[in-house]
Amino acid sequence: MKFWVVMTVLSAAVFGTATARASTEVVLILDNSPSMIRKTTFTTRYPDGRQDVAMLPAADPDRLAVLATLILNGIMSGDDKLTILSFQKDAPHFLKIPNQASAIRAYNNNAPTLFAGAFQEAARILRSSRRERRLLLICSDGPPEDLTSPAQGRRRLGLDQPSSAFDVLAFNLSTEPASTRQDYLHELVAGAGRHERVGDPYQLVAGFTSAYARTLGSKPLSGRLGNGDAFDFVADRYVSEVIVVAASLSRTPAFEATLFTDGRPVPERSSGDNGCSARILGAELAPNLCKAPFHTFKVWRADKDPKKVTSWSLKLASGSPSDIAYGVILRYELSAEVVQAPDSARAGEPIPVVGRIRWHDQTFDDRSFYSSPKFQATMFIGNLEGPLAQGGDLLFRGAVEVGQPGLYRLGVVFENEWVALRSRIRTIEVKQWASLRIIAALPDFGRWAGRWRTTESCRSLDLTGSHNADVVPIEVLAKGIPEGTAVTVDGTAVPRMRPLPLAGKKLQYEVCVVAERCCAELDGKSSQLVIRGRNPYYHASAASVPLHFAVEATTLLGCWWLVILGVLGLILLAIAVHGKLSPYSFDVGDTVRISRHENKLQRGASYRLAEQPGGRRGFYRNATVGFDNSASPVGPRRTAIVRFTAAEGGIISLSSGVSVEMRDRRTRKWEALKPEDAQCGVRKNVVYRVGEYYFRLN
């Protein structure tokens, strides 16, 4: 399985087959030490002189490194070039393995782990190559016997130089848990390349596919297939080539698998196994090394129209002797590019950088790619990083300020969940600090009175007479500001204990002194604004300008008049609401019948009180209906002989300027109605008499 991962990686490295596709120079350093195929002792030495000796299992007992090399060799095309190097004790201290399958299978594990010669030759080949993409692949269990520290290996490869000529991928082949001997390769490529450890076949597939696809600016897919299973996937626009590798998860006879695109089978590019002869050196120490069956593999590589979306399917035939691991690389041919950056700058100055993602010599314009939540764009100069912001032209811009003179590596990086695009490294020389002299003018802010709201006075800070104040990033610091006061520059508040970086490179800024609402008396006689370069290097040459201002204390009425008006308004509103809602109304069914004859009341005029003049409640007035001398209903302000008024609980009170009599229903006699009884409410269905009129409330 390990093999397969390597194969994927290698396949990716090699792949430039289509027209206008970038060619690749690949150097593969293949570990041919005995520890790859048999048990070996490993000694760990500690600084205090102690040492541990352990027996370690074979790192690659199934020769997966050989399988990976065969796959890589089979996938090469066009102008790609593969050089396979191994270890050798005698001069020239490296062994070059021919690019024939028979020579690769006959590779022997009989040499000490001597990295120095192979590293030196690999660096020479890659640095002198004129191919656009250059890659160093290291397949080893590490560490070497001749380079005792990773730093020595980095120097041999030139990985610490300001400009890197090639990418590095280190494949740590091992069947054991993480150990000290695996740390060597990790530290060797730290900060300059990628390190992937694989301890079983599936890790090989996933790890190598992911790492190599990221290096190529392409999208990886990986997994496993069982008997009769299929893996379906889509190659979107911009994909120019599809590379698929499949390998058996166990040592079995050859499996049958087919790759389809839009229903049509794709011819195999390469296939075979990693078998070996028992006559190879080292096989006698590993009895099962060259016993059949072996790991088998297949490789497909197909061009694709980048303007179309196509469907693909990898199918494993039923009855397959083994499950398979697969790796798919959808080659986008994307790359990161520094479009514009200076060759030199001064310490303390922001260094502007413009970058882009390139696709076939043009700016990549798939906005869905950029809108991914995990997409990020950064620039770096040395160990300093800064964000890049995309503009409407799809270019990314940013700036980083370097604080010390020197020679620095510069580049841009674009990343999402499946790819990391790194530009070619450029070198920038950061020279001595730019000179900075600040001359500031700030007029008096004057005197004003505090109010119920915040108040401010603004003036223009003029740096026209300064030198390089519009070049070197500057900041301001407010000192001696009284409580209740704030200072803003171009609308941004200056923190009390920290400086405020000024945005933009200009010589005019608006400075405002802001007094809080209802402030006490404020005096700015000891307040000042400090202007200085943002980098601590410039702090000694800071300039200070006084903030002359005075604010009169806010009067009680001036502070609270709005609150007072609000309270008064609420009171008036309560009075109005109460006056509107508190009066009583007649029930809808309250009616009065009036007649000049008692025996004609049943047929007399009937009046629904709520519908008569004054029958609806008014502002602080209960509903009131009166009747005049002609027995006609009148409003509450008209002359009436009797009035009916709505009261609490549905009661209707009665008032009259003349005496009112009520017929007793038991004795049938007329009795004078007392005023207090009239106020308590008219009894329904009882006959009353006022003057010559009779009435009854129903």
Side-chain angles (χ1 to χ4, degrees):
M1 187 104 205
K2 198 169 198 180
F3 83 89
W4 117 252
V5 171
V6 176
M7 70 165 239
T8 293
V9 174
L10 302 178
S11 81
V14 169
F15 65 177
T17 126
T19 303
R21 185 172 294 129
S23 61
T24 307
E25 181 87 46
V26 182
V27 176
L28 170 62
I29 296 179
L30 192 59
D31 190 335
N32 61 336
S33 63
S35 63
M36 295 284 283
I37 61 171
R38 65 177 176 84
K39 294 181 180 181
T40 186
T41 58
F42 180 76
T43 302
T44 303
R45 293 178 173 84
Y46 299 96
D48 59 3
R50 292 182 301 109
Q51 62 182 34
D52 290 334
V53 178
M55 180 64 70
L56 299 179
D60 189 19
D62 290 327
R63 295 200 350 139
L64 298 182
V66 174
L67 183 57
T69 307
L70 289 168
I71 293 170
L72 177 58
N73 187 59
I75 205 171
M76 298 290 286
S77 67
D79 293 330
D80 297 337
K81 181 183 176 184
L82 170 64
T83 302
I84 307 171
L85 300 178
S86 215
F87 308 144
Q88 181 173 280
K89 184 176 182 180
D90 300 329
H93 305 296
F94 64 84
L95 178 66
K96 185 174 290 188
I97 300 176
N99 290 19
Q100 287 91 36
S102 58
I104 296 171
R105 287 189 173 91
Y107 138 91
N108 297 306
N109 291 93
N110 64 339
T113 310
L114 304 174
F115 277 7
F119 278 8
Q120 186 169 325
E121 177 65 7
R124 185 195 66 78
I125 294 172
L126 292 168
R127 291 186 181 280
S128 62
S129 174
R130 306 188 68 174
R131 289 177 172 82
E132 183 174 345
R133 190 184 299 278
R134 284 162 283 182
L135 176 66
L136 170 62
L137 298 175
I138 303 173
C139 293
S140 174
D141 61 348
E145 299 174 30
D146 54 347
L147 303 177
T148 57
S149 70
Q152 292 177 315
R154 293 175 67 88
R155 284 194 294 271
R156 289 275 181 166
L157 292 171
L159 299 183
D160 291 325
Q161 295 181 11
S163 179
S164 177
F166 51 87
D167 296 329
V168 183
L169 284 175
F171 303 145
N172 206 150
L173 307 178
S174 177
T175 58
E176 62 179 309
S179 68
T180 303
R181 74 172 182 173
Q182 296 171 27
D183 293 339
Y184 185 93
L185 291 179
H186 183 272
E187 295 177 16
L188 175 71
V189 301
R194 299 186 182 281
H195 170 269
E196 291 289 340
R197 176 188 175 273
V198 290
D200 57 64
Y202 183 74
Q203 287 180 346
L204 255 178
V205 175
F208 277 109
T209 303
S210 175
Y212 193 70
R214 284 171 69 90
T215 299
L216 295 176
S218 300
K219 185 173 184 177
L221 303 169
S222 61
R224 66 180 75 194
L225 289 179
N227 232 323
D229 291 342
F231 173 63
D232 301 324
F233 59 97
V234 173
D236 292 323
R237 290 176 59 230
Y238 303 104
V239 174
S240 60
E241 186 180 25
V242 176
I243 300 173
V244 179
V245 177
S248 59
L249 293 177
S250 57
R251 296 172 64 156
T252 60
F255 59 88
E256 290 296 327
T258 307
L259 177 67
F260 296 91
T261 175
D262 290 334
R264 301 185 304 274
V266 177
E268 291 179 9
R269 180 65 175 274
S270 179
S271 63
D273 61 50
N274 65 341
C276 60
S277 168
R279 294 189 300 272
I280 68 169
L281 297 178
E284 69 279 3
L285 301 176
N288 296 322
L289 188 69
C290 295
K291 284 186 178 180
F294 305 103
H295 281 291
T296 57
F297 72 94
K298 294 181 185 293
V299 175
W300 296 266
R301 181 169 180 169
D303 291 335
K304 175 195 164 292
D305 185 347
K307 297 180 180 179
K308 295 182 179 179
V309 177
T310 54
S311 298
W312 300 71
S313 180
L314 176 63
K315 295 184 178 180
L316 179 62
S318 299
S320 173
S322 170
D323 292 351
I324 64 171
Y326 66 83
V328 177
I329 295 179
L330 302 177
R331 188 168 185 176
Y332 277 79
E333 206 66 34
L334 300 177
S335 62
E337 180 183 29
V338 176
V339 178
Q340 183 178 348
D343 295 325
S344 63
R346 289 191 177 275
E349 297 178 358
I351 301 174
V353 172
V354 180
R356 70 168 179 170
I357 296 180
R358 188 179 65 178
W359 181 77
H360 288 203
D361 295 325
Q362 55 185 302
T363 301
F364 186 53
D365 61 357
D366 186 354
R367 296 184 182 274
S368 63
F369 179 90
Y370 297 125
S371 61
S372 167
K374 294 186 178 180
F375 176 79
Q376 59 180 3
T378 56
M379 61 169 287
F380 64 87
I381 300 178
N383 294 326
L384 300 175
E385 293 186 355
L388 292 172
Q390 189 178 38
D393 56 1
L394 300 180
L395 298 181
F396 292 80
R397 295 172 173 83
V400 167
E401 178 187 332
V402 178
Q404 295 296 331
L407 203 60
Y408 293 89
R409 295 155 52 101
L410 179 150
V412 295
V413 180
F414 302 98
E415 295 181 278
N416 66 8
E417 62 270 23
W418 54 263
V419 70
L421 305 174
R422 290 173 172 81
S423 68
R424 287 187 175 274
I425 300 299
R426 297 178 57 167
T427 302
I428 182 172
E429 180 185 8
V430 178
K431 301 177 181 180
Q432 293 297 327
W433 296 89
S435 60
L436 175 63
R437 182 167 56 93
I438 296 177
I439 299 177
L442 186 61
D444 193 320
F445 287 87
R447 185 180 185 86
W448 70 95
R451 300 186 61 187
W452 60 275
R453 57 175 175 79
T454 58
T455 56
E456 65 179 20
S457 177
C458 299
R459 298 292 185 269
S460 177
L461 173 64
D462 189 358
L463 305 179
T464 303
S466 304
H467 176 66
N468 277 344
D470 56 346
V471 175
V472 176
I474 61 176
E475 63 187 16
V476 295
L477 183 66
K479 292 185 176 181
I481 305 300
E483 289 295 330
T485 310
V487 177
T488 65
V489 179
D490 283 351
T492 303
V494 180
R496 287 191 171 272
M497 304 300 293
R498 293 180 291 106
L500 171 71
L502 296 185
K505 296 179 178 180
K506 56 184 182 178
L507 297 175
Q508 299 282 339
Y509 298 89
E510 184 184 53
V511 179
C512 297
V513 175
V514 182
E516 67 180 9
R517 62 177 300 275
C518 300
C519 64
E521 184 176 359
L522 303 172
D523 191 345
K525 60 183 178 181
S526 60
S527 302
Q528 58 179 335
L529 194 67
V530 179
I531 305 102
R532 65 191 187 189
R534 194 178 303 172
N535 194 285
Y537 174 84
Y538 295 107
H539 289 184
S541 60
S544 298
V545 290
L547 298 175
H548 293 303
F549 66 91
V551 183
E552 299 174 4
T554 311
T555 63
L556 180 63
L557 182 60
C559 177
W560 297 102
W561 69 270
L562 189 62
V563 175
I564 295 172
L565 286 180
V567 172
L568 291 176
L570 290 175
I571 293 174
L572 292 176
L573 178 62
I575 292 173
V577 171
H578 185 267
K580 184 67 176 176
L581 300 180
S582 61
Y584 300 105
S585 298
F586 292 116
D587 289 340
V588 176
D590 290 339
T591 59
V592 172
R593 289 185 178 275
I594 298 180
S595 175
R596 287 180 178 272
H597 305 283
E598 181 179 2
N599 56 359
K600 295 183 178 181
L601 270 177
Q602 189 63 29
R603 298 186 302 275
S606 176
Y607 299 94
R608 191 178 298 274
L609 293 177
E611 297 175 358
Q612 307 309 313
R616 298 185 181 277
R617 67 184 178 187
F619 187 67
Y620 278 99
R621 178 185 64 79
N622 297 329
T624 301
V625 176
F627 290 89
D628 60 13
N629 288 328
S630 62
S632 297
V634 296
R637 293 183 175 82
R638 304 290 297 276
T639 302
I641 60 172
V642 65
R643 297 183 189 278
F644 298 95
T645 303
E648 183 179 3
I651 295 174
I652 299 177
S653 62
L654 178 68
S655 61
S656 176
V658 298
S659 61
V660 178
E661 294 177 302
M662 176 185 71
R663 183 183 290 279
D664 189 304
R665 300 179 67 178
R666 183 174 59 83
T667 64
R668 304 296 298 168
K669 294 182 178 180
W670 291 100
E671 297 179 354
L673 184 65
K674 299 178 181 179
E676 55 272 21
D677 293 336
Q679 292 299 319
C680 290
V682 178
R683 295 165 61 184
K684 297 181 179 180
N685 297 320
V686 173
V687 179
Y688 293 87
R689 181 170 63 185
V690 178
E692 59 181 0
Y693 290 100
Y694 298 87
F695 66 87
R696 184 176 63 207
L697 181 65
N698 297 323

